[in-house]
Amino acid sequence: MKNLLMKLMDGKVLCSVYDSDDNIDKFDVGFIIAVDDDFALMSGICPNGDNDGYYLKSVDSLYKIEVNSQYNRKIEILHSGKDTVFNQISEYDPKNVFWSILKLLKKQQELCSFYLFDSDSSNVIGCIEEFDDNIVKISAYNEYGLLDGTVYIRIGDITGMSFKSSEEIKIGRLIGSQKE
């Protein structure tokens, strides 16, 4: 899959990627913007054609990639004329995508979602407090935007992440409303 992902990235080809064995109808659409041996970084696009943040996906968890489908062509039409989010992340190492994204998210205190064990929904949403080679410490938030304790996740159990997507934006707005 890595070689295919590299070709899609180099050609800036819109693709649909499937990475959840539990829900074969779940996929994400967008452009691959970085690939290393273990992870691919994708700029996502919503079903209405708007940008949907970024998705970091384990290369090993991807089991199907579609290009040039009718659905993808529809998304391309809906997305046309809108700015893409290709180059809005400048501080990542394309040879070490996962670790550089962790560093960036911690530095910016960016709200992010963590996907564990190839799940098709986020298991933890929060801000990275710290991490090392084995564990990520996260200030977690619940669906109401309320701080919900601290969560520790083993690095090896993370199969995906998202940030600046509609889910994190929604939780961020709820967090902001608590401060008013």
Side-chain angles (χ1 to χ4, degrees), residues 22-35:
D22 294 337
N23 184 351
I24 62 171
D25 295 326
K26 169 96 170 63
F27 61 93
D28 292 300
V29 176
F31 296 96
I32 305 299
I33 58 175
V35 180

Side-chain angles (χ1 to χ4, degrees), residues 60-98:
D60 289 340
S61 73
L62 299 178
Y63 68 91
K64 181 168 113 176
I65 298 175
E66 290 180 353
V67 297
N68 298 320
S69 67
Q70 289 181 356
Y71 184 80
N72 286 11
R73 286 192 291 276
K74 177 183 94 169
I75 296 301
E76 280 184 300
I77 291 167
L78 294 171
H79 187 68
S80 66
K82 297 179 182 174
D83 290 333
T84 59
V85 289
F86 272 117
N87 299 317
Q88 291 183 3
I89 301 177
S90 58
E91 298 180 41
Y92 70 89
D93 177 1
K95 292 181 172 56
N96 201 341
V97 177
F98 178 79

Side-chain angles (χ1 to χ4, degrees), residues 92-110:
Y92 70 89
D93 177 1
K95 292 181 172 56
N96 201 341
V97 177
F98 178 79
W99 293 103
S100 59
I101 292 299
L102 277 182
K103 289 176 190 173
L104 176 68
L105 295 173
K106 180 184 180 298
K107 177 182 172 184
Q108 294 181 349
Q109 281 300 285
E110 185 80 42

